[in-house]
């Protein structure tokens, strides 16, 4: 009912009130510091602030609130409590406490206090009075008086114990251990049937080969033994429940549910085991004479004698035992399936959906998962059914059945006790060594039984993922016929927002601008030579129509489908070939329709940086790695990228020729022509040797810097990441110019200053790049020079960092600010750039994981609805950046409902898209074996696994080129 009440309240609000709530939330969130990890705590603060704003006291207030009131009175006390839980002061410095997690109140414990009304009523002052007893309008002013030490408590006890395996993975244990027991007991019939050998039609023991004599029916013992073993299922669940009692606080709600659950498992266990004690003594077939059976023998050599007149009472008891055994077996199978599928946490879950019930927690927080569509649920069920069906079939034949003969031999083997004695255990160890060996072999077989599941998971996950890629059209095995010849039409139809353009220009004219920009970008990256570029570009040629000019498409588009063409458009097996092929293939998949650049959402690329290499120095490039390798980094990179180095050298030689000509010096080539041919060739090779060795002949900074950049763009450096992802800015300018030819003419045509200013304005409006440099003010000389070079090269790049102001008085703590600069920032007399923003933090934000805390203090500087989270060792390309509107279109809903979502007439809306994954190419795969392993891991986990996980509702962000919904993610901590 409270949900309907909330919807009615939201529906009655004016647009001004809704906008005010959004602004209030952003203010509460923006200054919260480390409290951003606790989304429900922030929601409580927001509610208290909203209650105060709507109160008469706030409406009648004239003077503004003091600056820093929220930070000092609410955020800082909460931050101090969190900090003191993990750190202590030693000699005036904060050091990590040597305290176990089980006694430390962390983010989760603080957050979960606000999950239930009971938890909120635990917030108290020093005098133990409750905050919730204070009138709603007065709570905001009293928040500064709350004693958080008395309010927070542990909600989950993080104990380091192997029992977590039993609690968290009880269903995994059940579906393996219980099924393995079924297999082993069914296969090991020699345990309960002395005449097991005679059941084999090929055996000659006590009978003629090819015949099966009339033998005792031992089904009663077989089924009851199998059923009793299936008692492992409730036993495992019982053990997990008992262990869970030590992990959660001993409150009434949790302990009641756990004890009821334990009682249920005990009842299931007892009902499963008890019949065995009656069935086993009565399980032997009374129609045969058992007096002559030698139970010590490995197998019986004589066919048992069938009685002519068996005892009718014993027969009746035996038949009843067999019937009960079958029922017991069916009962055990049903409960094994039930305990395999039913999560223990859902047992004894309160059905009444009231605000005081623990069910509110699962519905709203812990178990609030978006529902799967029918197709996605079907794929999920099919995947897991295929995995376990294949696993159970294969494991029976290759693990259980193949183990029958070793099991039988070890089980039946007898070693006389007098043949082996030992000091400590006497003859017990030797006489039982067959059982000890059998136990180890069964344990190993069970481990393989577990591993077998993972094998089939990998196999079927790959099969389903490849099938999904075929459906999406992104598989490398998708037929490539016409993939290049259709590329111009696909660029026009899928990359450009043609639906909103006036049809005044031919598609070929618009497409040529995109394609030529991509080719030229590869040339500037030295992936293509001048000859390759000329073959790949659209070019203007004379037309037969009154001397007019027309565009001639490159032969490349048709040559790939025509074996008669024998031209080289790029080096074979090169980076250029890989990128062009992937671009062409990606356009064959289904892409969301792009919107005009003016209407596309704003997004930010967000990269954390700590100590990763920014730009390689000349010393690092040309010196030997160590005394044993005798190979420099530059030589290694030259060997890996031979064609790219040749293109780089050619460009550098042209630049050197131009410089020498500009300074009035005769070029090496001109001097060589003045000599005879042989000396000219020798002279040319000698003069070119420095270029091919280290990339430059002159030690001028502009030439050495070119070599440093070339090497940095082929290593794991921050410069490579920034250079690649700043292509978004180029892509937005390119798309904006191509789709608005009237705007180009209005601002004076291509190359005009007014046009460039308009393109810059649009790019800055739609795209931001923020690098969170945690150590920025602690950089050494080389790092400072490299970061300054980044800002000069990319003035729109924004860098956030931490600035610490020493305490004004002794005993006070230093103040810490989160600052933001870019290449346009004013440079002060000390050479430091003046920040645009200095946001005071409640304290040092690095309390836990440095990477996430570094991102958290910087996230307030991001802009837009979406973030792309990038590590400081990744790359991007212009041809991929022009698809940015298609990627963001995965989030957007272009046809929003006309009815308010809070209206009673509103239809249920699908859950918003939270993450859009992107395939990551590991460029270090050719560096060595480690790079190759990393690339294989990425292809398996980052691409194949994540693709199918996204479809079945289990996709998570794990740190690589994912786009995330900023609003969705930040409101969830």
């Amino acid at each position: 009912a409270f949900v309907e009440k909330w919807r009615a309240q939201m529906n009655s609000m004016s647009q001004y009130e809704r906008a005010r709530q959004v602004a209030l939330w952003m203010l509460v969130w923006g200054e919260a510091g480390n409290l951003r990890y606790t989304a429900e705590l922030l929601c409580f603060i927001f509610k208290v602030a909203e209650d105060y704003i709507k109160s008469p006291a706030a409406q009648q207030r004239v003077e503004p609130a003091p600056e820093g009131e929220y930070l000092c009175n609410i955020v800082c006390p909460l931050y101090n409590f969190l900090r003191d839980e993990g750190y202590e002061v030693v000699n005036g410095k904060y050091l990590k406490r040597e305290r176990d997690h089980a006694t430390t109140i962390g983010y989760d414990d603080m957050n979960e206090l606000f999950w239930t009304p009971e938890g909120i009523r635990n917030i108290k002052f020093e005098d133990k009075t409750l905050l919730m007893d204070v009138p709603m309008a007065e709570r905001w002013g009293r928040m500064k008086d709350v004693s958080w030490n008395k309010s927070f408590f542990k909600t989950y006890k993080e104990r380091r114990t192997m029992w977590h395996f039993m609690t968290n993975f009880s269903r995994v244990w059940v579906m393996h251990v219980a099924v393995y027991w079924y297999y082993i007991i069914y296969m090991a019939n020699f345990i309960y049937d002395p005449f097991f050998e005679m059941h084999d039609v090929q055996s000659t023991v006590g009978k003629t080969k090819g015949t099966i004599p009339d033998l005792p029916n031992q089904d009663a013992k077989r089924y009851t033994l199998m059923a009793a073993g299936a008692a492992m299922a409730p036993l495992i669940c019982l053990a997990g429940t008992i262990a869970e009692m030590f992990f959660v606080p001993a409150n009434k709600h949790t302990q009641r549910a756990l004890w009821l659950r334990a009682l249920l498992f005990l009842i299931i266990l007892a009902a499963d085991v008890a019949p065995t004690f009656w069935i086993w003594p009565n399980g032997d077939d009374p129609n045969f004479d058992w007096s002559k059976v030698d139970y010590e023998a490995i197998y019986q050599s004589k066919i048992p004698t069938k009685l002519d007149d068996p005892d009718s009472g014993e027969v009746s008891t035996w038949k009843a035992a067999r019937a009960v055994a079958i029922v017991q077996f069916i009962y055990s199978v049903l409960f094994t399936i039930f305990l395999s599928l039913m999560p223990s946490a859902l047992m004894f879950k309160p059905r009444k959906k009231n605000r005081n019930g623990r069910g509110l927690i699962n519905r709203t927080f812990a178990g609030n998962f978006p529902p799967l569509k029918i197709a996605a649920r079907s794929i999920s069920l099919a995947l897991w059914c295929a995995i376990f069906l294949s696993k159970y079939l294969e494991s029976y034949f290759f693990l259980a059945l193949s183990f029958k003969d070793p099991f039988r031999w070890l089980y039946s083997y007898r070693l006389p006790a007098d043949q082996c004695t030992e000091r400590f255990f006497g003859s017990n160890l030797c006489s039982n060594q067959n059982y000890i060996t059998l136990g180890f072999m069964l344990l190993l077989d069970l481990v393989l039984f577990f591993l077998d599941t993972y094998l089939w998971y990998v196999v079927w996950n790959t099969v389903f993922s490849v099938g999904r890629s075929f459906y999406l059209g992104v598989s490398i095995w998708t037929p490539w016929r016409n993939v290049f010849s259709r590329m111009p039409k696909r660029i026009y139809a899928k990359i450009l927002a043609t639906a909103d353009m006036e049809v005044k220009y031919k598609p070929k004219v618009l497409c040529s601008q995109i394609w030529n920009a991509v080719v030229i970008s590869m040339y500037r990256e030295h992936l293509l030579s001048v000859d390759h570029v000329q073959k790949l570009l659209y070019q203007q040629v004379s037309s037969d129509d009154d001397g007019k000019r027309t565009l001639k498409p490159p032969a490349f588009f048709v040559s790939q489908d025509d074996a008669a063409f024998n031209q080289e458009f790029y080096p074979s097996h090169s980076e250029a070939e890989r990128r062009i092929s992937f671009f062409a293939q990606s356009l064959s998949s289904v892409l969301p329709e792009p919107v005009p650049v003016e209407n596309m959402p704003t997004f930010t690329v967000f990269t954390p940086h700590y100590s990763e290499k920014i730009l390689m120095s000349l010393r690092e490039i040309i010196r030997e790695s160590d005394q044993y390798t005798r190979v420099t980094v530059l030589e290694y990179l030259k060997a890996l990228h031979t064609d790219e180095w040749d293109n780089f050298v050619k460009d550098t030689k042209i630049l050197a020729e131009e410089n020498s000509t500009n300074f009035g010096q005769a070029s090496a080539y001109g001097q060589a022509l003045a000599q005879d041919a042989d000396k000219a060739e020798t002279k040319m090779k000698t003069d070119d040797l420095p270029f091919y060795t280290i990339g430059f002949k002159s030690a001028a900074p502009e030439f050495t810097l070119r070599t440093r950049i070339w090497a940095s763009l082929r290593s794991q450096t921050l410069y490579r990441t920034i250079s690649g992802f700043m292509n978004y800015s180029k892509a937005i300018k390119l798309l904006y110019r191509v789709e608005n030819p009237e705007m180009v003419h209005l601002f004076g045509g291509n190359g005009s200053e007014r046009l460039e200013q308009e393109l810059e304005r649009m790019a800055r409006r739609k795209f931001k790049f923020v690098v969170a440099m945690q150590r920025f003010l602690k950089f050494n000389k080389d790092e400072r020079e490299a970061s300054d070079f980044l800002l000069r090269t990319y003035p729109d790049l924004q860098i956030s960092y931490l600035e610490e102001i020493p305490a004004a008085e002794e005993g006070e703590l230093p103040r810490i600010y989160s600052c933001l600069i870019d290449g346009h920032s004013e440079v002060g007399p000390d050479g430091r750039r003046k920040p645009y923003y200095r946001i005071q933090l409640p304290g040092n934000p690095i309390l836990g994981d440095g990477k996430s805390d570094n991102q958290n203090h910087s996230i307030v500087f991001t802009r837009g609805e979406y973030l792309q989270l990038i590590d400081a060792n990744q790359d991007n390309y212009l041809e991929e950046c022009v698809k940015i509107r298609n990627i963001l279109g995965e989030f957007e809903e272009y046809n929003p409902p006309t009815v308010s979502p809070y209206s009673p007439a509103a239809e249920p809306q699908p859950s918003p898209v939270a993450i859009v994954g992107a395939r990551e190419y590991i460029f270090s795969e050719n560096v060595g074996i480690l790079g190759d392993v990393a690339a294989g891991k990425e292809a398996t986990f980052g691409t194949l696994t994540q693709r199918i996980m996204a479809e079945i509702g289990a996709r998570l962000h794990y740190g690589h080129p994912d786009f995330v919904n900023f609003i969705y993610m930040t409101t969830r901590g």
Side-chain angles (χ1 to χ4, degrees), residues 903-929:
S903 171
E907 297 181 357
Q909 297 297 314
S911 301
V913 176
I915 301 175
V916 174
R919 177 186 297 179
E920 181 184 12
Y921 169 66
I922 304 298
F923 50 76
S924 59
E925 67 174 350
N926 297 322
V927 173
I929 184 63

Side-chain angles (χ1 to χ4, degrees), residues 753-817:
E753 184 177 354
R754 291 178 59 203
L755 177 61
E756 290 302 317
Q757 290 176 350
E758 174 63 16
L759 297 177
E760 285 285 349
R761 182 193 67 82
M762 183 58 66
R764 291 173 183 170
R765 175 183 158 194
K766 298 297 181 181
F767 164 68
K768 300 288 183 183
F769 195 153
V770 178
V771 179
M773 287 188 171
Q774 182 178 332
R775 296 176 47 256
F776 181 75
L777 293 184
K778 299 179 181 179
F779 279 171
N780 58 35
K781 181 182 177 182
D782 291 340
E783 290 174 321
R784 286 196 300 271
E785 291 178 352
S787 60
D788 193 57
F789 172 72
L790 286 177
L791 292 175
R792 292 197 310 269
T793 307
Y794 303 102
D796 292 332
L797 175 69
Q798 297 180 329
I799 294 178
S800 65
Y801 61 91
L802 296 172
E803 181 180 7
E804 182 175 328
I805 305 298
E809 299 180 5
E810 187 177 354
E812 293 184 356
L813 294 174
R815 287 178 296 170
I816 298 180
Y817 294 85

Side-chain angles (χ1 to χ4, degrees), residues 546-710:
D546 299 331
K548 293 183 178 180
R549 310 280 292 178
T550 185
L551 272 177
K552 178 184 177 183
F556 166 76
F557 293 132
V558 296
S559 65
Q560 304 299 312
D561 298 325
D562 191 345
F565 277 86
N566 195 23
Q567 296 186 25
E568 182 184 78
F569 296 95
Y570 36 64
S572 179
H573 305 292
S574 64
E575 177 70 0
E577 179 182 14
R578 184 192 69 83
R579 283 172 51 175
I580 291 176
S581 299
F582 181 81
F583 181 59
Q585 179 198 4
S586 67
L587 294 182
S588 65
S589 61
V590 179
L591 298 177
E593 184 178 347
V595 296
V597 174
E598 301 96 317
N599 300 339
M600 69 175 283
T602 303
F603 73 102
T604 299
V605 174
F606 196 24
T607 300
H609 176 270
Y610 183 73
S611 60
E612 293 87 348
K613 178 62 63 178
I614 300 176
L615 183 70
M616 298 191 73
S617 65
L618 190 60
R619 180 182 302 175
E620 293 171 323
I621 295 173
I622 63 177
R623 75 175 180 182
E624 297 169 354
S625 301
D626 54 60
Q627 59 179 341
Y628 303 105
T629 58
R630 300 298 181 187
V631 176
T632 67
V633 172
L634 183 60
E635 289 173 344
Y636 188 57
L637 293 175
K638 285 159 52 179
L640 289 176
H641 310 281
T642 307
D643 295 322
E644 298 170 29
W645 178 253
D646 289 340
N647 296 335
F648 171 76
V649 168
K650 292 176 183 177
D651 288 348
T652 306
K653 288 170 60 179
I654 294 173
L655 182 61
E657 296 285 349
E658 292 176 352
N659 283 356
S660 62
T661 304
N662 292 337
F663 283 98
Q665 302 174 357
S667 66
Y669 180 71
Q671 294 175 0
L673 288 178
Q675 305 173 16
D676 59 76
D678 293 338
K679 290 183 179 181
E681 184 178 356
T682 303
K683 176 68 175 175
M684 289 293 294
K685 291 183 178 180
T686 303
D687 289 341
D688 289 348
L689 186 60
F691 289 110
Y692 284 98
T693 304
I694 56 176
F696 55 85
K697 186 176 182 181
S698 168
E702 59 268 23
F703 289 103
T704 59
L705 182 61
R706 280 174 54 84
T707 301
R708 292 174 59 194
I709 291 176
W710 186 90

Side-chain angles (χ1 to χ4, degrees), residues 6 103 127 310 386 435 765 800:
W6 171 78
T103 58
D127 59 1
Y435 296 118
R765 175 183 158 194
S800 65

Side-chain angles (χ1 to χ4, degrees), residues 443-504:
L443 181 62
L444 176 60
D445 204 41
L446 179 61
V447 170
L448 295 176
F449 195 80
F450 274 89
L451 294 177
D452 207 37
T453 306
Y454 183 70
L455 167 67
W456 284 108
Y457 169 78
V458 172
V459 171
W460 280 108
N461 184 76
T462 302
V463 171
F464 274 70
S465 183
V466 171
R468 177 72 180 165
S469 66
F470 274 112
Y471 175 78
L472 297 174
V474 296
S475 172
I476 60 173
W477 294 333
T478 301
W480 279 32
R481 179 172 178 80
N482 301 326
V483 73
F484 292 102
S485 60
R486 295 182 181 179
M487 193 171 7
K489 293 182 179 179
R490 287 171 174 165
I491 291 176
Y492 179 78
K494 298 186 177 184
I495 299 298
L496 299 175
T498 54
D500 298 281
M501 294 173 57
E502 297 183 16
V503 187
K504 293 184 178 180

Side-chain angles (χ1 to χ4, degrees), residues 45-180:
I45 296 176
F46 167 81
K47 178 64 170 62
V48 174
E50 174 72 5
D51 291 339
Y52 171 71
I53 289 176
K54 294 190 295 185
S55 67
Q59 299 294 329
Q60 297 170 7
R61 184 171 178 170
V62 178
E63 72 281 1
E67 182 178 354
E69 177 185 25
Y70 166 60
L71 178 67
C72 297
N73 293 345
I74 298 179
V75 177
C76 285
L78 285 163
Y79 168 84
N80 292 338
F81 171 82
L82 182 66
R83 178 201 60 203
D84 294 341
E85 283 291 308
Y87 293 82
E88 60 182 343
V89 179
V90 178
N91 297 328
K93 295 183 178 180
Y94 278 98
L95 298 179
K96 192 79 172 176
R97 287 182 184 271
E98 296 297 330
R99 181 190 291 181
D100 193 79
H101 287 290
T103 58
T104 301
I105 297 177
Y107 288 112
D108 288 339
D109 301 299
M110 295 176 61
N111 200 46
E112 290 175 19
L113 181 75
F114 301 90
W115 278 13
T116 61
E118 295 85 356
I120 294 175
R121 286 199 60 82
N122 199 60
I123 303 175
K124 55 178 71 77
F125 303 108
E126 285 291 344
D127 59 1
K128 296 186 179 181
T129 57
L130 303 180
L131 175 67
M132 299 309 292
D133 291 339
V134 177
M136 295 174 59
E138 300 176 14
R139 290 173 187 167
W140 177 259
R142 294 294 309 278
M143 285 280 286
K144 66 179 183 297
D145 302 322
V146 171
S147 174
W148 297 111
N149 288 319
K150 297 180 179 179
S151 302
F152 290 117
F153 56 88
K154 285 295 294 182
T155 59
Y156 185 82
K157 300 175 183 178
E158 299 91 346
R159 299 183 185 273
R160 293 180 176 89
T161 170
M162 297 297 289
W163 283 101
H164 282 293
F165 283 105
M166 196 64 68
T167 300
N168 300 332
F169 305 107
S170 60
R171 291 193 292 161
V172 177
W173 285 98
V174 166
M175 62 182 63
H176 286 82
V177 175
V179 175
Y180 183 73

